[in-house]
Amino acid sequence: DHNPKFKSVGICATITLLAPDPEAPATTCFLMGYAASTIPRTVIDGMLTTCGVTAAQASKLTQDLIRLAEKHGLHVGSFGGRPSSSGHAGHLLQIFIRRHLVDKYAYAALPFGVLDNPRHPLGAFLQTAGPMLGQARICVHPSAFMRATKVRCFTYSADEHFHRARPAFQEEVVALLE
C-alpha cells in the first residue's frame, strides 16, 4: 500500500460498499475522506512529465489544476489549496470488473496488500454466499480500464457542490491539458 511502485499502478479497495471493513469502511469514511498517506504535488508534476510536459510546464500546470479545482469546489487542502466549502473531502470510486477478468486484475488482500489466502482467488470468493467483506488490490491496467466492456467506474463526491460541478470541471481540465 505504501510502496511507490504499487501506488503507480494499483488501487486499494474494499469489496463491498456496506460491509464493515477494519481499515476504511465507506459508511464512516465517505464524508471526510480517507488516505493511508498523502500525495505530494510532485506526484502530479511527475505524472505530467511522464506525459511529455517539461518540468517547468508541469509545475505551472499543477498550480493551474489546483486553481481550477478550487474554482469548482474540489477539496485541495492537501496540495496547498483551499478545502471545499462544506469541508467534505470524501469521494467514492465504485469499480465494476467483468467476472471473468477479476482474477486477472485483482486479488483478495489483508491490510498492507498481503495476499488473503482464504479468499483467494478473489473471483471465486465473490461468487460465494458470503459474508462479503475484506479488502482487495486492483491493478489499474489501461487495456481494461479504458474499455467499458471490461471495467465500469462511477464516481461520487461527498461535497454536493463539487459533485454537481464535476462535468464542467472535467471539461475545463481537458481544455487546460490540450
Side-chain angles (χ1 to χ4, degrees), residues 26-109:
T27 53
T28 59
C29 292
F30 178 61
L31 290 179
M32 298 314 295
Y34 173 83
S37 62
T38 59
I39 302 171
R41 288 175 59 147
T42 55
V43 170
I44 300 171
D45 292 345
M47 179 187 68
L48 293 169
T49 57
T50 299
C51 294
V53 175
T54 67
Q57 291 171 320
S59 181
K60 181 187 180 316
L61 197 50
T62 296
Q63 188 57 44
D64 292 344
L65 288 166
I66 290 169
R67 280 195 213 104
L68 187 59
E70 289 174 330
K71 172 185 168 186
H72 289 281
L74 178 60
H75 184 96
V76 285
S78 62
F79 296 108
R82 292 190 310 263
S84 65
S85 59
S86 70
H88 295 159
H91 299 274
L92 180 73
L93 174 62
Q94 193 174 25
I95 302 171
F96 294 90
I97 301 173
R98 291 274 180 191
R99 289 180 188 199
H100 71 280
L101 296 172
V102 167
D103 294 326
K104 183 173 182 176
Y105 298 107
Y107 70 92

Side-chain angles (χ1 to χ4, degrees), residues 3-42:
N3 183 313
K5 290 186 188 259
F6 169 77
K7 284 182 174 183
S8 70
V9 297
I11 294 178
C12 303
T14 56
I15 64 168
T16 182
L17 184 61
L18 299 175
D21 178 275
E23 189 173 341
T27 53
T28 59
C29 292
F30 178 61
L31 290 179
M32 298 314 295
Y34 173 83
S37 62
T38 59
I39 302 171
R41 288 175 59 147
T42 55

